């Protein structure tokens, strides 16, 4: 079938990887511990394509940054919730799908961030879609970093608002766009939305400058802390806390599916804005709430982190610094990586696929970042550091990346 | 804050309900069994608003149609999966979030429907968004029933395709629109998408006529079986199976969060289309996969239903017929309700809110359907029948609805 040029080209690339034996996607996890797994690599996802047998890998492709996904208290939180409230909620939250556990997790989430109110979305993606669709409309403008997570661009499209895309972490460009729209006499609402920690780049948004601009130009500031909530800042409140501007953020979105060891999304804001989302955001109102097990796991994770968060964040930061230093010493660049998401530029899509495939074959599971998530030619490996990685894990990862890149003629 | 006329008006209505003591939304579930729960009704969702104490209700607002949400095998399926693979997946499915359980549920889902391939989305909403965004683009046209679930209109907006909305269950109108676009020389792809069972109306799409039109006008046919999968058709394959046209459906979407007693969405189709979704659908690729507990619950539910599905569907159908007959005998209209979703028209938004609130106070939990889910003035109660409802449950529900409507001066 003809699916249009962009999609045809993606499918053509996938097909070439299959023929060349370098399809790097959808390894099947057959066993999993926090930083260890067994995987079966696939020739491709075509039915009938033979698998290889499974083999052990060291996991560096995970967003379980604080290492809680198999913590006994977190697992028991999930188990108890499923036993108490069943395996789903079976009604939208407004009419019978909102349990005491959901209420408790809303309160615990708001309390975690020290913000007035919170509500839970079924996924982080639906949180971003809902926030944008509720706060912005065709008369409004959204100013968005060009490397923001794709869910933000999708939310802008859904909302019908005008999109103004500024250069990555470039507040000067943002200010030019804000000035330009003022000169053009725009009178609707203005929103600025950025990722706190960029998941495909590993760098942190210049939130001080951006908060200044939001104030100066009377724009609402929305920060997606998906990869930073729990993991960055003195209390694990994210990039905005780390940079001292959390009280200047109007809406904070995020997910329980990374440092908080569960699944699902959330938005925190003042009571009026949360009230708005609760009664008008389609991705909240018209999609089922989180299953009890996910709510129970997230609640338990917040409890564990209230006790062990500081220590786990310290280990995460130590590991991230050690990994970046180890790669640097091995002559491997990590672009702008500044925290626990460490990015290794590789080059073309085929080269990135091949390197990721070879790494997995040799025992290291990392995420290849491919077009259209990153620009064509900007293929990279994405390493998610975990507080539970040992020094040996880090050394092993650097060694393997170094060896596989050398086989490929070095880093590009 | 000024959120624009439509949103301001919704918030104003919610505020009036709060003042009048008829806010019917977000009852807090404090205990739950299959057809029984305890709820705390809320004055509103404003922080600081006092709750009432909790009290028992009979549950008629659930989509756990086959009564499996607390089935011991299903709960154990969730528990075992969480113990084995942890409380989340921590990477997108393409790069480390795809476990053996996800693979098994894809296969079991495709096998359930007798279709070649399937893939899992984090929510049913994201399944519809992803299918439309991947299959349609700005050069394409989507023909959509005006009472389709809102996620379908959102998917069309995301895709950039042209939307042609036809009258509810009106194949003649659909054909006129198809002819018109042919006359206008449109050359892109055409998609027809409908709900199998309409969740706010209770009626079933005329899929034979629609499949004929899809063939005649060379359009892809997509059917959302969210409320019908598992529950309708000789093998529980949904409305398309019931009407004998499953082999003429190009893409079937649905959710595990209703008859399949878990959470999450899916799409079934031929291998080429599933391959396309897997490598190009943003709502699939860029959002985490289902947590292991949800996958385990859905797998267990499919196993239970392979054994007990026919019997459970028979009881569901008997109960649905008995409820409709009981309401009819009590002089209460159920509009076009034809299956296990039974709709009772009530009238204005305020009246619908008040009736739902009073019913909950007197021990019956039903879903009020309010604007913008239904047209203004078209407020209604939505009753979800369950295979586990007893004759007493049904009699009790009819009695309470009848009494509360009488207090309000009868049905409008």
């Amino acid at each position: 079938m003809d699916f249009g040029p962009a999609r045809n080209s993606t499918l053509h690339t996938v097909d070439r990887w299959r023929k060349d034996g370098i399809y790097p996607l959808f390894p099947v996890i057959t066993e999993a511990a926090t930083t260890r797994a067994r995987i079966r690599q696939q020739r491709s996802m075509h039915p009938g394509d033979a698998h290889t047998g499974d083999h052990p890998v060291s996991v560096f492709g995970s967003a379980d940054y604080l290492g809680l996904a198999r913590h006994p208290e977190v697992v028991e939180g999930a188990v108890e919730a499923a036993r108490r409230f069943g395996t789903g909620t079976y009604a939208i939250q407004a009419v019978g799908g909102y349990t005491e556990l959901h209420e408790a997790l809303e309160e615990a989430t708001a309390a975690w961030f020290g913000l007035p109110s919170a509500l839970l979305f079924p996924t982080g993606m639906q949180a971003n879609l809902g926030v944008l669709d509720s706060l912005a409309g065709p008369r409004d403008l959204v100013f968005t970093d060009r490397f923001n997570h794709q869910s933000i661009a999708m939310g802008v499209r859904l909302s019908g608002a005008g999109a103004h895309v500024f250069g990555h972490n470039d507040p000067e460009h943002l200010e030019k766009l804000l000035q330009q729209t003022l000169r053009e006499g725009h009178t609707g609402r203005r929103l600025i939305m950025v990722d706190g920690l960029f998941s495909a780049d590993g760098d942190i948004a210049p939130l001080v400058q951006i908060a200044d601009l939001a104030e100066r130009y009377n724009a609402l500031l929305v920060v997606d802390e998906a990869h930073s909530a729990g993991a960055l800042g003195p209390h694990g409140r994210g990039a905005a806390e780390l940079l001292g501007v959390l009280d200047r953020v109007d809406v904070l979105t995020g997910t329980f599916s990374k440092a908080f060891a569960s699944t699902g999304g959330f938005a925190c804001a003042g009571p009026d804005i949360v009230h708005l989302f609760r009664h008008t955001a389609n991705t909240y109102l018209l999609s089922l709430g989180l299953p009890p097990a996910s709510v129970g796991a997230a609640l338990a994770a917040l409890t564990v982190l209230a006790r062990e968060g500081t220590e786990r964040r310290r280990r995460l930061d130590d590991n991230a610094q050690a990994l970046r230093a180890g790669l640097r010493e091995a002559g491997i660049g990590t672009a702008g990586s500044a925290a626990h998401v460490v990015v290794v530029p590789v080059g073309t899509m085929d080269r990135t696929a091949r390197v990721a495939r070879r790494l997995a074959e040799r025992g290291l599971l990392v995420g290849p970042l491919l077009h259209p998530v990153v620009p064509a030619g900007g293929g990279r490996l994405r390493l998610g550091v975990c507080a539970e990685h040992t020094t040996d894990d880090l050394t092993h990862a650097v060694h393997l990346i170094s060896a596989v890149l050398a086989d490929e003629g070095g880093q590009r």
Side-chain angles (χ1 to χ4, degrees), chain A:
Chain A
M1 267 199 252
D2 177 11
F3 296 117
R7 299 192 192 296
N8 288 347
S9 154
T10 298
L11 297 181
H12 183 75
T13 301
V14 163
D15 222 49
R16 191 173 61 241
W17 291 342
R18 172 172 183 259
K19 289 200 189 93
D20 293 349
I22 60 168
Y23 183 78
L25 304 177
F26 298 98
V28 182
I29 312 292
T30 58
E31 278 180 40
T34 304
T35 57
R36 293 282 179 282
R38 292 184 69 87
I39 63 169
R40 270 196 277 119
Q41 291 186 275
Q42 315 218 64
R43 176 145 186 244
S44 85
M45 291 295 281
H46 281 287
D49 267 2
H51 295 132
T52 59
D54 68 349
H55 68 275
V57 288
S58 173
V59 174
F60 271 80
S62 165
D64 174 23
Y65 302 124
L66 298 176
L68 293 185
R70 283 155 198 94
H71 191 290
E73 284 176 61
V74 177
V75 173
E76 281 315 298
V79 167
E80 277 169 35
R83 293 206 198 284
R84 180 166 169 218
F85 283 106
T87 47
T89 57
Y90 308 103
I92 57 171
Q93 295 190 69
V95 302
Y98 183 79
T99 72
E100 253 180 8
L101 293 179
H102 292 79
E103 186 185 43
L105 183 56
E106 284 182 355
E107 284 165 12
T109 303
W112 179 272
F113 293 100
L115 294 172
S117 301
L119 80 178
L120 316 179
F121 286 84
T123 65
M125 178 174 273
Q126 287 188 207
N128 284 346
L129 298 181
V131 161
L132 285 162
D133 193 25
S134 256
L135 273 180
R139 294 171 53 248
D140 305 319
L141 299 179
V142 182
F143 298 82
T144 165
D145 187 293
R146 79 185 187 97
F147 287 175
N148 275 347
H149 191 263
Q150 185 64 22
S151 56
I152 296 174
M154 292 163 69
V156 177
R157 241 193 299 163
L158 256 187
S159 75
H164 287 260
V165 180
F166 59 91
H168 178 53
N169 281 352
D170 186 348
E172 286 180 28
H173 187 204
L174 168 59
E175 181 157 26
K176 270 187 203 148
L177 295 176
L178 285 161
Q179 283 172 340
Q180 185 183 316
T181 58
L182 278 189
R183 275 200 308 274
E184 288 164 359
H186 176 259
T187 56
R189 192 196 309 282
R190 282 179 295 281
L191 264 86
I192 301 171
M193 183 155 181
V194 292
D195 288 1
L197 171 61
F198 287 85
S199 70
D201 300 273
D203 52 359
I204 294 170
L207 290 171
V208 176
Q209 294 91 317
I210 290 174
D212 287 347
L213 292 174
E215 254 163 48
R216 196 170 318 144
Y217 292 91
N218 192 26
L220 290 176
L221 176 56
V222 187
V223 180
D224 178 355
E225 299 271 17
H227 289 270
S228 32
L232 287 186
H235 302 88
R237 289 170 175 173
E241 186 197 27
L242 181 72
L243 299 176
V245 295
L246 184 53
D247 59 338
R248 300 165 73 190
V249 170
D250 294 291
V251 183
L252 184 157
T253 65
T255 170
F256 299 109
S257 67
K258 313 203 190 295
F260 296 134
S262 179
T263 192
F266 57 82
C268 298
D272 285 357
I273 289 180
V274 165
H275 190 66
L276 172 79
F277 296 154
R278 205 184 290 281
H279 293 98
T280 70
N282 281 339
T283 59
Y284 174 79
L285 280 172
L286 303 180
S287 192
L288 280 257
L290 288 177
S294 293
V295 179
L299 274 169
L302 290 176
T303 303
V304 173
L305 289 181
R307 201 172 64 221
E308 305 176 4
T310 306
E311 168 61 14
R312 284 179 181 267
R313 278 189 293 279
R314 191 190 58 71
R315 278 153 50 201
L316 177 64
D317 187 45
D318 288 351
N319 282 347
Q321 291 196 37
L323 180 64
R324 293 198 305 270
L327 289 166
R328 195 168 49 237
E329 280 159 30
I332 297 163
T334 57
S337 308
H340 49 278
V341 172
V342 178
V343 160
V344 173
V346 175
T348 64
M349 295 304 108
D350 286 359
R351 198 160 185 272
T352 307
R354 196 162 50 236
V355 168
R357 173 94 192 185
R358 298 292 172 249
L359 282 170
E361 286 166 0
R362 293 175 69 165
L364 185 72
L365 188 63
V366 301
L369 294 178
L370 299 159
H371 187 72
V373 173
V374 294
R380 59 198 79 166
L381 307 178
R382 182 190 183 288
L383 284 74
V385 181
C386 179
E388 303 277 325
H389 279 135
T390 64
T391 306
D392 279 356
D393 290 338
L394 302 173
T395 310
H396 180 66
V398 172
H399 168 76
L400 283 178
I401 293 168
S402 185
V404 169
L405 283 175
D407 287 351
E408 294 292 322
Q411 195 175 31
R412 297 280 159 85

